[in-house]
Amino acid sequence: MLRVRDVHKSFGPTPVLKGVSLEVAAGEVTCVIGPSGSGKSTLLRCVNHLEKIDAGVVELDGELVGYRESAGKLHELPDRAIARQRAEIGMVFQNFNLFGHMTVLENLVEAPVGVRGLSKSDATGRAREMLELVGLQGREDSYPRQLSGGQQQRIAIARALAMRPKLVLFDEPTSALDPELVGEVLTVMKDLAARGLTMVVVTHEMGFAREAADSVVFLDEGQVVERGTPSAVLGAPREPRTREFLERVL
Ligand code: ADP
Ligand code: MG
C-alpha cells in the first residue's frame, strides 16, 4: 500500500532523512521507533507531501504522491490533486488537532462533506459509525474541551477514519496524554489493527509495537538502522544502536 524509496530530505544545510526506504503492505501495521530528532515526524510528513522531498519516491497504492512522471521527469501535482491524495492518508497527531469551535459531530463530518463530497446525512451516518468504533457514541454534541485527552484522541482517530483512508499515519498519538489515558487510545488502535487498517505508527509504546505491529523500523539520524518483526527488533536487536536505544526506553 505504501512504498517509500530512498527518500532524502534536508532543512537548509541539515540532512534529516538520508535515504529512507519503507514498505507497508495493505492491512499491515508498521511501528517506527527512534530517538527524538531522528526524523520520524519528518518521514510521516513526507509521506503525505506536507514536506516536499529532495530525492526518492513515495507511492501510495501504486501512485506517486505529490508528483506525476512525464518524459522521465517528476512534476509536482497541482494543489487540488495533492488534496485528493491526502484524503487517502489519515493523520493522527500528538496533540489531537481537533477543531475546538466545532462539536464532535461537526469535526467528523467536515472533511467527508467538504473533501469527499458526501451528503450531510451520509456523512453523519458514517460519523456515528466511527464514534461507535472508538467507543464514543453519544458524544456527538460535545465540544473537544469537554472531553478528556484520551477521548479527544479517540475522536481524532474517528475523524481520520471517517474519510475511509487507505493508510493512517499516527505521530506519537499517546505522548501528550496523562499516563492513565494512554491505555484507552492504544486499545482503539489495537482494535483497528486487528480489523486490517493499514497503519504507520510512530510511538514510544513498545508494548503496543510488540502486540500490534507486523514490522518495526528503528530510525536513527535519518536512516533506517534496523527493521524486522517486533520480536526480532525489540527482542533480539542486531545493531548496537538499536540495543542502546532500547536500553534507554525500556
Ligand atoms: P522526530 O520526530 O524523530 O523527533 P523530527 O522529524 O521532528 O524528528 O526532526 C528531525 C530533525 O529535523 C530535527 O533536528 C529537527 O530540528 C529538524 N526539523 C524538523 N522540522 C524542521 C523544519 N520545518 N525546519 C527545520 N528543521 C526541522
Ligand atoms: Mg516527532
Side-chain angles (χ1 to χ4, degrees):
M1 183 59 78
L2 175 67
R3 176 176 288 133
V4 172
R5 205 163 59 230
D6 201 23
V7 163
H8 291 254
K9 174 71 188 172
S10 297
F11 292 109
T14 315
V16 170
L17 299 177
K18 306 172 191 167
V20 171
S21 298
L22 183 75
E23 286 191 10
V24 184
E28 293 210 327
V29 178
T30 294
C31 283
V32 179
I33 62 171
S36 172
S38 56
K40 305 181 298 296
S41 296
T42 303
L43 174 60
L44 295 190
R45 293 170 58 80
C46 286
V47 166
N48 66 4
H49 202 66
L50 282 172
E51 297 288 355
K52 230 192 250 191
I53 62 181
D54 301 326
V57 212
V58 176
E59 277 177 18
L60 180 74
D61 203 9
E63 190 180 307
L64 282 176
V65 176
Y67 297 90
R68 68 184 170 80
E69 201 177 344
S70 138
K73 274 185 142 179
L74 294 184
H75 304 270
E76 195 174 17
L77 290 170
D79 289 349
R80 217 157 36 95
I82 291 173
R84 184 178 55 74
Q85 292 186 322
R86 282 207 190 111
E88 303 296 341
I89 305 175
M91 183 118 190
V92 175
F93 302 91
Q94 192 173 326
N95 292 308
F96 331 136
N97 291 15
L98 293 170
F99 305 118
H101 61 292
M102 292 184 187
T103 64
V104 163
L105 189 65
E106 288 165 350
N107 265 279
L108 267 65
V109 303
E110 202 244 11
V113 170
V115 180
R116 288 273 198 229
L118 257 64
S119 71
K120 190 93 188 286
S121 78
D122 284 352
T124 302
R126 194 190 279 189
R128 290 188 202 284
E129 275 172 46
M130 296 306 126
L131 285 177
E132 204 168 318
L133 209 56
V134 301
L136 287 171
Q137 58 278 30
R139 300 313 298 259
E140 287 85 345
D141 298 326
S142 301
Y143 282 88
R145 64 174 177 278
Q146 298 171 315
L147 302 171
S148 73
Q151 290 173 327
Q152 288 184 55
Q153 192 59 302
R154 286 150 65 197
I155 297 295
I157 293 170
R159 183 177 61 176
L161 296 175
M163 289 292 277
R164 303 245 166 98
K166 291 180 174 174
L167 166 73
V168 182
L169 310 174
F170 295 79
D171 194 356
E172 300 198 32
T174 60
S175 293
L177 296 175
D178 291 335
E180 75 271 21
L181 303 178
V182 168
E184 63 187 73
V185 173
L186 294 180
T187 299
V188 164
M189 291 171 59
K190 281 178 212 163
D191 181 45
L192 297 174
R195 288 166 180 267
L197 184 69
T198 311
M199 303 160 65
V200 177
V201 184
V202 171
T203 187
H204 297 293
E205 295 291 336
M206 298 303 153
F208 173 81
R210 202 171 278 120
E211 265 186 69
D214 297 288
S215 143
V216 175
V217 170
F218 173 58
L219 195 69
D220 193 19
E221 296 183 359
Q223 287 179 309
V224 173
V225 171
E226 188 159 357
R227 82 182 78 215
T229 61
S231 57
V233 176
L234 304 176
R238 268 180 284 169
E239 299 295 329
R241 278 152 83 184
T242 316
R243 254 178 263 149
E244 223 173 272
F245 171 74
L246 290 172
E247 274 163 26
R248 268 188 287 133
V249 299
L250 289 178

